[in-house]
Short mmCIF file of all heavy atoms in Angstrom, two decimals:
data_model
loop_
_atom_site.label_atom_id
_atom_site.label_comp_id
_atom_site.label_asym_id
_atom_site.label_seq_id
_atom_site.Cartn_x
_atom_site.Cartn_y
_atom_site.Cartn_z
N MET A 10 110.76 87.95 97.91
CA MET A 10 111.00 89.37 98.02
C MET A 10 109.92 89.91 98.73
O MET A 10 109.03 90.53 98.28
CB MET A 10 110.95 90.02 96.56
CG MET A 10 111.51 91.32 96.47
SD MET A 10 111.82 91.63 94.70
CE MET A 10 111.51 93.46 94.78
N SER A 11 109.99 89.81 100.09
CA SER A 11 108.87 90.37 100.96
C SER A 11 109.29 91.36 101.86
O SER A 11 108.57 91.96 102.68
CB SER A 11 108.28 89.22 101.81
OG SER A 11 109.27 88.76 102.65
N GLU A 12 110.49 91.95 101.65
CA GLU A 12 110.92 93.09 102.40
C GLU A 12 110.28 94.32 102.15
O GLU A 12 110.12 94.61 100.89
CB GLU A 12 112.46 93.17 102.37
CG GLU A 12 113.09 94.11 103.31
CD GLU A 12 114.62 94.03 103.32
OE1 GLU A 12 115.11 93.11 102.99
OE2 GLU A 12 115.25 95.16 103.43
N ARG A 13 109.88 95.13 103.12
CA ARG A 13 109.17 96.36 102.90
C ARG A 13 109.84 97.59 103.48
O ARG A 13 109.29 98.51 103.82
CB ARG A 13 107.81 96.21 103.54
CG ARG A 13 106.97 95.04 102.94
CD ARG A 13 105.77 94.83 103.62
NE ARG A 13 105.19 93.57 103.11
CZ ARG A 13 104.07 92.97 103.35
NH1 ARG A 13 103.27 93.67 104.16
NH2 ARG A 13 103.73 91.77 102.81
N THR A 14 111.20 97.57 103.38
CA THR A 14 112.00 98.65 103.79
C THR A 14 111.75 99.90 103.04
O THR A 14 111.68 99.87 101.86
CB THR A 14 113.55 98.33 103.72
OG1 THR A 14 113.70 97.00 104.41
CG2 THR A 14 114.42 99.34 104.25
N GLY A 15 111.57 101.07 103.77
CA GLY A 15 111.49 102.29 103.16
C GLY A 15 109.90 102.56 102.65
O GLY A 15 109.77 103.61 102.02
N LEU A 16 109.07 101.77 103.02
CA LEU A 16 107.72 101.90 102.63
C LEU A 16 106.83 102.41 103.84
O LEU A 16 107.00 101.93 104.97
CB LEU A 16 107.06 100.67 102.12
CG LEU A 16 107.76 100.10 100.98
CD1 LEU A 16 107.03 98.71 100.51
CD2 LEU A 16 107.74 100.93 99.67
N ILE A 17 105.92 103.40 103.63
CA ILE A 17 105.03 103.76 104.55
C ILE A 17 103.71 103.15 104.28
O ILE A 17 103.11 103.45 103.24
CB ILE A 17 104.93 105.24 104.60
CG1 ILE A 17 106.23 105.87 104.89
CG2 ILE A 17 103.83 105.70 105.56
CD1 ILE A 17 106.26 107.35 104.64
N ARG A 18 103.24 102.30 105.15
CA ARG A 18 101.88 101.68 105.09
C ARG A 18 100.76 102.56 105.29
O ARG A 18 100.59 103.06 106.41
CB ARG A 18 101.85 100.36 105.96
CG ARG A 18 100.61 99.55 105.67
CD ARG A 18 100.79 98.35 106.49
NE ARG A 18 99.56 97.53 106.46
CZ ARG A 18 99.50 96.34 106.97
NH1 ARG A 18 100.51 95.80 107.64
NH2 ARG A 18 98.31 95.62 106.92
N LEU A 19 99.87 102.93 104.25
CA LEU A 19 98.85 103.86 104.38
C LEU A 19 97.55 103.21 104.75
O LEU A 19 96.58 103.96 105.35
CB LEU A 19 98.68 104.68 103.16
CG LEU A 19 99.87 105.30 102.66
CD1 LEU A 19 99.48 106.05 101.34
CD2 LEU A 19 100.34 106.47 103.64
N THR A 20 97.36 101.94 104.62
CA THR A 20 96.04 101.21 104.83
C THR A 20 96.30 99.96 105.51
O THR A 20 97.57 99.53 105.80
CB THR A 20 95.37 100.93 103.46
OG1 THR A 20 96.39 100.10 102.67
CG2 THR A 20 94.92 102.14 102.82
N GLY A 21 95.34 99.17 105.78
CA GLY A 21 95.37 97.81 106.43
C GLY A 21 95.62 97.89 107.80
O GLY A 21 96.42 97.15 108.41
N ASN A 22 94.95 98.80 108.62
CA ASN A 22 95.06 98.91 109.93
C ASN A 22 94.30 97.81 110.81
O ASN A 22 94.24 97.87 112.11
CB ASN A 22 94.65 100.36 110.50
CG ASN A 22 93.14 100.61 110.17
OD1 ASN A 22 92.40 99.69 109.77
ND2 ASN A 22 92.86 101.89 110.25
N GLY A 23 93.78 96.75 110.07
CA GLY A 23 93.04 95.75 110.77
C GLY A 23 91.61 95.96 110.92
O GLY A 23 90.91 95.13 111.57
N ASN A 24 91.09 97.08 110.38
CA ASN A 24 89.70 97.40 110.60
C ASN A 24 88.81 96.74 109.52
O ASN A 24 87.65 96.86 109.53
CB ASN A 24 89.52 98.89 110.53
CG ASN A 24 89.93 99.54 111.79
OD1 ASN A 24 90.09 98.86 112.88
ND2 ASN A 24 90.31 100.79 111.70
N GLY A 25 89.41 95.96 108.65
CA GLY A 25 88.61 95.26 107.54
C GLY A 25 89.61 94.92 106.44
O GLY A 25 90.79 95.09 106.54
N ASN A 26 88.94 94.22 105.49
CA ASN A 26 89.87 93.72 104.39
C ASN A 26 89.39 94.36 103.07
O ASN A 26 89.76 93.76 102.02
CB ASN A 26 89.80 92.22 104.34
CG ASN A 26 88.53 91.61 103.96
OD1 ASN A 26 87.52 92.27 103.81
ND2 ASN A 26 88.47 90.28 103.87
N GLY A 27 88.57 95.27 103.13
CA GLY A 27 88.08 95.80 101.87
C GLY A 27 86.86 95.27 101.35
O GLY A 27 86.26 95.67 100.24
N ASN A 28 86.22 94.22 102.01
CA ASN A 28 85.02 93.81 101.56
C ASN A 28 83.92 93.81 102.58
O ASN A 28 82.89 93.23 102.46
CB ASN A 28 85.18 92.36 101.04
CG ASN A 28 85.61 91.22 102.04
OD1 ASN A 28 85.59 91.64 103.19
ND2 ASN A 28 85.82 90.14 101.58
N GLY A 29 84.20 94.59 103.65
CA GLY A 29 83.21 94.79 104.68
C GLY A 29 83.08 93.60 105.79
O GLY A 29 82.18 93.75 106.58
N ASN A 30 83.86 92.60 105.67
CA ASN A 30 83.68 91.39 106.54
C ASN A 30 84.54 91.53 107.82
O ASN A 30 84.50 90.71 108.74
CB ASN A 30 83.69 90.12 105.90
CG ASN A 30 85.08 89.69 105.40
OD1 ASN A 30 86.06 90.39 105.80
ND2 ASN A 30 85.07 88.67 104.61
N GLY A 31 85.47 92.44 107.83
CA GLY A 31 86.30 92.70 109.00
C GLY A 31 87.24 91.51 109.42
O GLY A 31 87.65 91.38 110.57
N GLU A 32 87.56 90.59 108.47
CA GLU A 32 88.28 89.39 108.80
C GLU A 32 89.83 89.62 108.62
O GLU A 32 90.71 88.70 108.78
CB GLU A 32 87.90 88.18 107.98
CG GLU A 32 86.56 87.75 108.29
CD GLU A 32 85.99 86.71 107.43
OE1 GLU A 32 86.78 86.18 106.55
OE2 GLU A 32 84.86 86.34 107.44
N CYS A 33 90.27 90.74 108.04
CA CYS A 33 91.67 91.03 107.76
C CYS A 33 92.32 91.89 108.71
O CYS A 33 91.83 92.92 109.07
CB CYS A 33 91.68 91.54 106.39
SG CYS A 33 93.35 91.62 105.74
N GLY A 34 93.58 91.49 109.03
CA GLY A 34 94.39 92.31 109.97
C GLY A 34 95.84 92.00 109.67
O GLY A 34 96.65 92.61 110.38
N GLY A 35 96.12 91.14 108.81
CA GLY A 35 97.58 90.89 108.60
C GLY A 35 98.15 91.54 107.47
O GLY A 35 97.57 92.41 106.81
N GLU A 36 99.41 91.09 107.05
CA GLU A 36 100.15 91.83 106.00
C GLU A 36 99.67 91.39 104.58
O GLU A 36 100.05 92.05 103.72
CB GLU A 36 101.69 91.40 106.15
CG GLU A 36 102.19 91.93 107.38
CD GLU A 36 102.50 93.35 107.42
OE1 GLU A 36 102.77 93.94 106.39
OE2 GLU A 36 102.16 93.94 108.50
N ASP A 37 98.76 90.48 104.47
CA ASP A 37 98.49 89.95 103.15
C ASP A 37 97.13 90.54 102.69
O ASP A 37 96.54 89.96 101.68
CB ASP A 37 98.33 88.43 103.17
CG ASP A 37 99.73 87.74 103.35
OD1 ASP A 37 100.67 88.47 102.94
OD2 ASP A 37 99.90 86.73 103.82
N CYS A 38 96.55 91.54 103.29
CA CYS A 38 95.44 92.19 102.88
C CYS A 38 95.71 93.24 101.84
O CYS A 38 96.78 93.61 101.74
CB CYS A 38 94.78 92.87 104.05
SG CYS A 38 94.54 91.85 105.52
N PRO A 39 94.63 93.74 101.07
CA PRO A 39 94.85 94.76 100.24
C PRO A 39 95.44 95.94 100.96
O PRO A 39 94.97 96.30 102.03
CB PRO A 39 93.43 95.11 99.72
CG PRO A 39 92.67 93.81 99.91
CD PRO A 39 93.23 93.28 101.14
N ASN A 40 96.44 96.64 100.46
CA ASN A 40 97.11 97.67 101.09
C ASN A 40 97.70 98.63 100.12
O ASN A 40 97.90 98.32 98.91
CB ASN A 40 98.24 97.31 101.97
CG ASN A 40 97.74 96.60 103.34
OD1 ASN A 40 97.02 97.30 104.10
ND2 ASN A 40 98.13 95.41 103.51
N ILE A 41 97.86 99.93 100.46
CA ILE A 41 98.57 100.86 99.68
C ILE A 41 99.77 101.45 100.45
O ILE A 41 99.64 101.66 101.71
CB ILE A 41 97.68 102.07 99.33
CG1 ILE A 41 96.57 101.54 98.52
CG2 ILE A 41 98.47 103.17 98.60
CD1 ILE A 41 95.46 102.64 98.18
N TYR A 42 100.91 101.38 99.86
CA TYR A 42 102.12 101.86 100.50
C TYR A 42 102.65 103.04 99.69
O TYR A 42 102.57 103.18 98.57
CB TYR A 42 103.20 100.78 100.46
CG TYR A 42 102.86 99.56 101.11
CD1 TYR A 42 102.07 98.59 100.53
CD2 TYR A 42 103.29 99.27 102.42
CE1 TYR A 42 101.81 97.34 101.13
CE2 TYR A 42 102.96 98.16 103.09
CZ TYR A 42 102.20 97.14 102.51
OH TYR A 42 101.91 95.97 103.06
N ARG A 43 103.36 104.02 100.47
CA ARG A 43 103.96 105.14 99.88
C ARG A 43 105.55 104.80 99.94
O ARG A 43 106.00 104.43 100.94
CB ARG A 43 103.66 106.43 100.58
CG ARG A 43 104.25 107.62 99.81
CD ARG A 43 103.68 108.86 100.39
NE ARG A 43 104.00 110.04 99.46
CZ ARG A 43 103.37 111.10 99.41
NH1 ARG A 43 102.41 111.37 100.23
NH2 ARG A 43 103.89 111.98 98.59
N THR A 44 106.23 104.98 98.76
CA THR A 44 107.61 104.81 98.68
C THR A 44 108.39 106.05 99.15
O THR A 44 107.88 107.20 99.30
CB THR A 44 108.04 104.27 97.43
OG1 THR A 44 107.98 105.57 96.43
CG2 THR A 44 107.26 103.22 96.76
N GLU A 45 109.74 105.87 99.40
CA GLU A 45 110.63 106.96 99.60
C GLU A 45 110.67 108.02 98.53
O GLU A 45 110.97 109.16 98.74
CB GLU A 45 112.03 106.50 100.02
CG GLU A 45 112.08 105.63 101.31
CD GLU A 45 113.40 105.10 101.35
OE1 GLU A 45 114.11 104.65 100.44
OE2 GLU A 45 113.79 104.91 102.58
N ARG A 46 110.29 107.59 97.36
CA ARG A 46 110.30 108.43 96.16
C ARG A 46 108.99 109.25 95.99
O ARG A 46 108.83 109.98 95.12
CB ARG A 46 110.62 107.74 94.97
CG ARG A 46 112.03 107.18 94.92
CD ARG A 46 112.28 106.41 93.57
NE ARG A 46 111.26 105.51 93.18
CZ ARG A 46 111.15 104.18 93.47
NH1 ARG A 46 112.03 103.74 94.36
NH2 ARG A 46 110.18 103.45 92.98
N GLY A 47 107.92 108.90 96.86
CA GLY A 47 106.68 109.55 96.80
C GLY A 47 105.74 108.88 95.79
O GLY A 47 104.67 109.48 95.60
N THR A 48 106.02 107.75 95.33
CA THR A 48 105.20 106.87 94.56
C THR A 48 104.39 105.99 95.44
O THR A 48 104.62 105.79 96.67
CB THR A 48 105.97 106.10 93.47
OG1 THR A 48 106.88 105.18 94.13
CG2 THR A 48 106.75 107.06 92.56
N PHE A 49 103.35 105.31 94.76
CA PHE A 49 102.54 104.36 95.62
C PHE A 49 102.61 102.90 95.15
O PHE A 49 102.77 102.72 93.84
CB PHE A 49 101.17 104.76 95.57
CG PHE A 49 100.88 106.13 96.15
CD1 PHE A 49 100.97 107.28 95.44
CD2 PHE A 49 100.55 106.24 97.55
CE1 PHE A 49 100.83 108.53 95.98
CE2 PHE A 49 100.34 107.46 98.14
CZ PHE A 49 100.52 108.67 97.37
N LEU A 50 102.74 102.02 95.93
CA LEU A 50 102.54 100.61 95.64
C LEU A 50 101.23 100.11 96.15
O LEU A 50 100.79 100.43 97.24
CB LEU A 50 103.71 99.77 96.40
CG LEU A 50 105.12 100.14 96.07
CD1 LEU A 50 106.02 99.29 96.85
CD2 LEU A 50 105.31 99.80 94.58
N VAL A 51 100.55 99.23 95.35
CA VAL A 51 99.24 98.72 95.67
C VAL A 51 99.36 97.27 95.82
O VAL A 51 99.86 96.63 94.86
CB VAL A 51 98.20 99.17 94.62
CG1 VAL A 51 96.86 98.48 94.96
CG2 VAL A 51 98.07 100.57 94.40
N GLN A 52 98.95 96.67 96.98
CA GLN A 52 98.90 95.24 97.12
C GLN A 52 97.52 94.82 97.21
O GLN A 52 96.66 95.37 97.82
CB GLN A 52 99.61 95.02 98.47
CG GLN A 52 99.49 93.58 98.94
CD GLN A 52 99.96 93.32 100.33
OE1 GLN A 52 100.42 94.26 101.06
NE2 GLN A 52 99.82 92.16 100.95
N GLY A 53 97.18 93.74 96.41
CA GLY A 53 95.79 93.31 96.34
C GLY A 53 95.67 92.21 95.40
O GLY A 53 96.75 91.63 94.90
N ASP A 54 94.57 91.69 95.20
CA ASP A 54 94.27 90.58 94.27
C ASP A 54 94.53 91.10 92.88
O ASP A 54 94.18 92.11 92.33
CB ASP A 54 92.87 90.09 94.26
CG ASP A 54 92.47 89.50 95.69
OD1 ASP A 54 93.40 89.02 96.25
OD2 ASP A 54 91.26 89.69 96.07
N THR A 55 95.24 90.25 92.00
CA THR A 55 95.56 90.56 90.73
C THR A 55 94.28 90.50 89.83
O THR A 55 93.34 89.78 90.11
CB THR A 55 96.65 89.68 90.04
OG1 THR A 55 96.17 88.37 90.14
CG2 THR A 55 97.94 89.78 90.79
N SER A 56 94.26 91.38 88.71
CA SER A 56 93.06 91.30 87.85
C SER A 56 93.57 90.99 86.51
O SER A 56 94.71 91.15 86.11
CB SER A 56 92.56 92.78 87.91
OG SER A 56 91.54 92.94 86.87
N GLU A 57 92.62 90.35 85.72
CA GLU A 57 92.87 89.91 84.39
C GLU A 57 91.92 90.64 83.42
O GLU A 57 91.54 90.00 82.42
CB GLU A 57 92.83 88.35 84.28
CG GLU A 57 93.92 87.68 85.06
CD GLU A 57 93.78 86.14 85.04
OE1 GLU A 57 93.03 85.66 84.17
OE2 GLU A 57 94.47 85.48 85.71
N ALA A 58 91.61 91.97 83.75
CA ALA A 58 90.69 92.67 82.90
C ALA A 58 91.22 92.94 81.55
O ALA A 58 90.47 92.93 80.59
CB ALA A 58 90.42 94.07 83.57
N PHE A 59 92.55 93.01 81.36
CA PHE A 59 93.10 93.07 79.98
C PHE A 59 94.55 92.62 80.19
O PHE A 59 95.11 92.66 81.34
CB PHE A 59 92.96 94.47 79.35
CG PHE A 59 93.61 95.62 80.12
CD1 PHE A 59 94.92 95.88 79.87
CD2 PHE A 59 92.94 96.30 81.00
CE1 PHE A 59 95.60 96.95 80.53
CE2 PHE A 59 93.58 97.33 81.67
CZ PHE A 59 94.89 97.65 81.46
N ASN A 60 95.30 92.38 79.01
CA ASN A 60 96.63 92.00 79.05
C ASN A 60 97.43 93.26 79.08
O ASN A 60 97.26 94.12 78.21
CB ASN A 60 96.94 91.25 77.76
CG ASN A 60 96.27 89.78 77.75
OD1 ASN A 60 96.03 89.24 78.82
ND2 ASN A 60 95.88 89.32 76.58
N THR A 61 98.34 93.21 80.14
CA THR A 61 99.25 94.34 80.30
C THR A 61 100.55 94.17 79.60
O THR A 61 100.89 92.97 79.31
CB THR A 61 99.49 94.61 81.78
OG1 THR A 61 100.07 93.39 82.41
CG2 THR A 61 98.26 95.07 82.56
N PRO A 62 101.28 95.11 79.29
CA PRO A 62 102.62 94.93 78.76
C PRO A 62 103.48 94.14 79.73
O PRO A 62 103.25 94.10 80.93
CB PRO A 62 103.16 96.39 78.60
CG PRO A 62 101.97 97.27 78.54
CD PRO A 62 100.90 96.61 79.46
N GLU A 63 104.52 93.52 79.11
CA GLU A 63 105.46 92.69 79.96
C GLU A 63 106.02 93.60 81.01
O GLU A 63 106.45 94.73 80.83
CB GLU A 63 106.49 92.14 79.12
CG GLU A 63 107.38 91.14 79.86
CD GLU A 63 108.17 90.13 79.10
OE1 GLU A 63 107.67 89.91 77.97
OE2 GLU A 63 109.20 89.68 79.48
N GLY A 64 106.05 93.01 82.15
CA GLY A 64 106.70 93.78 83.37
C GLY A 64 105.60 94.66 84.10
O GLY A 64 105.98 95.18 85.14
N GLU A 65 104.35 94.62 83.61
CA GLU A 65 103.42 95.44 84.28
C GLU A 65 102.25 94.56 84.77
O GLU A 65 102.16 93.30 84.34
CB GLU A 65 102.79 96.48 83.31
CG GLU A 65 103.73 97.53 82.95
CD GLU A 65 103.13 98.60 82.09
OE1 GLU A 65 101.91 98.66 81.96
OE2 GLU A 65 103.91 99.47 81.62
N GLY A 66 101.47 94.92 85.62
CA GLY A 66 100.24 94.22 86.08
C GLY A 66 99.10 95.05 86.56
O GLY A 66 99.30 96.28 86.90
N LEU A 67 97.93 94.47 86.59
CA LEU A 67 96.82 95.18 87.10
C LEU A 67 96.59 94.69 88.56
O LEU A 67 96.56 93.42 88.79
CB LEU A 67 95.56 94.93 86.37
CG LEU A 67 95.67 95.28 84.88
CD1 LEU A 67 94.31 94.73 84.18
CD2 LEU A 67 95.67 96.74 84.71
N VAL A 68 96.20 95.49 89.40
CA VAL A 68 95.92 95.19 90.81
C VAL A 68 94.52 95.84 91.20
O VAL A 68 94.40 97.04 90.99
CB VAL A 68 97.00 95.64 91.87
CG1 VAL A 68 96.49 95.26 93.17
CG2 VAL A 68 98.30 95.00 91.51
N GLU A 69 93.60 95.00 91.58
CA GLU A 69 92.29 95.52 91.83
C GLU A 69 92.15 95.56 93.33
O GLU A 69 92.50 94.64 94.14
CB GLU A 69 91.22 94.45 91.37
CG GLU A 69 89.81 94.88 91.56
CD GLU A 69 88.79 93.95 90.83
OE1 GLU A 69 89.33 93.00 90.21
OE2 GLU A 69 87.62 94.13 91.17
N ILE A 70 91.77 96.76 93.80
CA ILE A 70 91.64 97.00 95.30
C ILE A 70 90.25 97.55 95.58
O ILE A 70 89.77 98.20 94.74
CB ILE A 70 92.67 97.84 95.93
CG1 ILE A 70 92.69 99.31 95.23
CG2 ILE A 70 94.13 97.34 95.79
CD1 ILE A 70 93.57 100.23 96.02
N PRO A 71 89.67 97.28 96.75
CA PRO A 71 88.25 97.66 97.06
C PRO A 71 88.28 99.18 97.30
O PRO A 71 89.32 99.87 97.66
CB PRO A 71 88.03 96.98 98.24
CG PRO A 71 88.88 95.80 98.41
CD PRO A 71 90.21 96.25 97.68
N GLU A 72 87.10 99.84 97.13
CA GLU A 72 86.98 101.30 97.24
C GLU A 72 87.35 101.79 98.61
O GLU A 72 88.01 102.80 98.91
CB GLU A 72 85.51 101.66 96.98
CG GLU A 72 85.26 103.24 97.10
CD GLU A 72 83.86 103.66 96.85
OE1 GLU A 72 83.22 102.92 96.07
OE2 GLU A 72 83.43 104.53 97.37
N ASP A 73 87.00 101.06 99.69
CA ASP A 73 87.35 101.48 101.07
C ASP A 73 88.84 101.55 101.29
O ASP A 73 89.23 102.28 102.10
CB ASP A 73 86.56 100.62 102.10
CG ASP A 73 87.03 99.23 102.19
OD1 ASP A 73 87.27 98.60 101.14
OD2 ASP A 73 86.92 98.57 103.27
N ILE A 74 89.62 100.73 100.58
CA ILE A 74 91.06 100.82 100.81
C ILE A 74 91.53 102.16 100.23
O ILE A 74 92.47 102.85 100.88
CB ILE A 74 91.81 99.68 100.13
CG1 ILE A 74 91.31 98.37 100.75
CG2 ILE A 74 93.31 99.81 100.07
CD1 ILE A 74 91.80 98.27 102.22
N LEU A 75 91.03 102.62 99.15
CA LEU A 75 91.49 103.93 98.51
C LEU A 75 90.96 105.02 99.40
O LEU A 75 91.68 105.98 99.70
CB LEU A 75 90.92 104.08 97.07
CG LEU A 75 91.55 103.25 95.97
CD1 LEU A 75 90.79 103.46 94.66
CD2 LEU A 75 92.95 103.71 95.84
N ARG A 76 89.77 104.97 99.95
CA ARG A 76 89.29 105.91 100.84
C ARG A 76 90.09 106.13 102.10
O ARG A 76 90.46 107.16 102.51
CB ARG A 76 87.83 105.69 101.29
CG ARG A 76 86.83 105.88 100.16
CD ARG A 76 85.46 105.65 100.69
NE ARG A 76 84.47 105.84 99.64
CZ ARG A 76 83.94 107.09 99.24
NH1 ARG A 76 84.32 108.05 99.91
NH2 ARG A 76 83.11 107.13 98.24
N GLU A 77 90.67 104.91 102.63
CA GLU A 77 91.48 104.93 103.81
C GLU A 77 92.80 105.59 103.56
O GLU A 77 93.31 106.42 104.28
CB GLU A 77 91.71 103.51 104.29
CG GLU A 77 92.56 103.48 105.60
CD GLU A 77 92.75 102.05 106.19
OE1 GLU A 77 92.12 101.12 105.64
OE2 GLU A 77 93.62 101.97 107.03
N ALA A 78 93.38 105.30 102.32
CA ALA A 78 94.66 105.95 102.04
C ALA A 78 94.43 107.41 101.75
O ALA A 78 95.28 108.22 102.30
CB ALA A 78 95.09 105.32 100.68
N THR A 79 93.42 107.92 101.14
CA THR A 79 93.14 109.31 101.03
C THR A 79 92.96 110.08 102.38
O THR A 79 93.42 111.17 102.53
CB THR A 79 92.08 109.75 100.04
OG1 THR A 79 90.81 109.03 100.45
CG2 THR A 79 92.41 109.12 98.69
N ARG A 80 92.30 109.37 103.19
CA ARG A 80 92.11 109.86 104.59
C ARG A 80 93.38 110.06 105.38
O ARG A 80 93.65 111.14 105.93
CB ARG A 80 91.18 109.03 105.46
CG ARG A 80 90.89 109.47 106.86
CD ARG A 80 90.22 108.48 107.64
NE ARG A 80 90.88 107.18 107.83
CZ ARG A 80 91.94 107.05 108.51
NH1 ARG A 80 92.45 107.90 109.17
NH2 ARG A 80 92.60 105.80 108.53
N VAL A 81 94.22 109.03 105.25
CA VAL A 81 95.56 109.19 105.90
C VAL A 81 96.40 110.21 105.43
O VAL A 81 97.02 110.96 106.15
CB VAL A 81 96.27 107.80 105.81
CG1 VAL A 81 97.76 107.97 106.20
CG2 VAL A 81 95.67 106.66 106.59
N LEU A 82 96.38 110.53 104.08
CA LEU A 82 97.05 111.67 103.49
C LEU A 82 96.44 113.00 103.72
O LEU A 82 96.96 113.98 103.31
CB LEU A 82 97.26 111.33 101.96
CG LEU A 82 98.20 110.14 101.62
CD1 LEU A 82 98.08 109.78 100.24
CD2 LEU A 82 99.62 110.52 102.10
N GLY A 83 95.21 113.05 104.20
CA GLY A 83 94.53 114.24 104.36
C GLY A 83 93.92 114.84 103.16
O GLY A 83 93.66 115.93 103.07
N TRP A 84 93.62 114.00 102.11
CA TRP A 84 93.12 114.55 100.90
C TRP A 84 91.69 114.61 100.99
O TRP A 84 90.90 113.99 101.42
CB TRP A 84 93.36 113.60 99.70
CG TRP A 84 94.93 113.57 99.40
CD1 TRP A 84 95.87 114.36 99.85
CD2 TRP A 84 95.63 112.65 98.63
NE1 TRP A 84 97.17 114.10 99.24
CE2 TRP A 84 96.91 113.01 98.56
CE3 TRP A 84 95.08 111.64 97.77
CZ2 TRP A 84 97.92 112.36 97.79
CZ3 TRP A 84 96.06 110.89 96.99
CH2 TRP A 84 97.44 111.27 97.00
#
């Protein structure tokens, strides 16, 4: 299930991977997407900080990815 139809990619422009080493430019980096419904999808390393309810998950993303998304949205 890798199709990204209807999503607007807000981050991951190839300027970094969220940890400052600049090695990321592909589709598998931490990213934030906006859906057609105005919601957000977050792609990143999964976190096990606590057990989530079934069907839910935690995704940990670096601060610079959130900053990039807010910059793109003009916040």
Side-chain angles (χ1 to χ4, degrees):
M10 194 169 151
S11 64
E12 191 171 326
R13 297 171 193 187
T14 305
L16 300 178
I17 298 169
R18 187 173 173 173
L19 301 176
T20 57
N22 61 11
N24 291 336
N26 68 355
N28 64 11
N30 67 12
E32 294 176 4
C33 187
E36 296 291 321
D37 293 332
C38 304
N40 285 301
I41 298 175
Y42 298 88
R43 187 168 191 159
T44 70
E45 293 173 326
R46 296 183 312 274
T48 60
F49 296 91
L50 296 177
V51 178
Q52 174 187 355
D54 295 330
T55 56
S56 175
E57 296 180 8
F59 63 88
N60 292 328
T61 59
E63 184 157 339
E65 295 183 7
L67 298 176
V68 179
E69 185 174 354
I70 62 169
E72 180 180 335
D73 62 328
I74 297 296
L75 286 175
R76 288 184 181 276
E77 183 180 349
T79 57
R80 179 190 57 76
V81 167
L82 291 170
W84 294 350

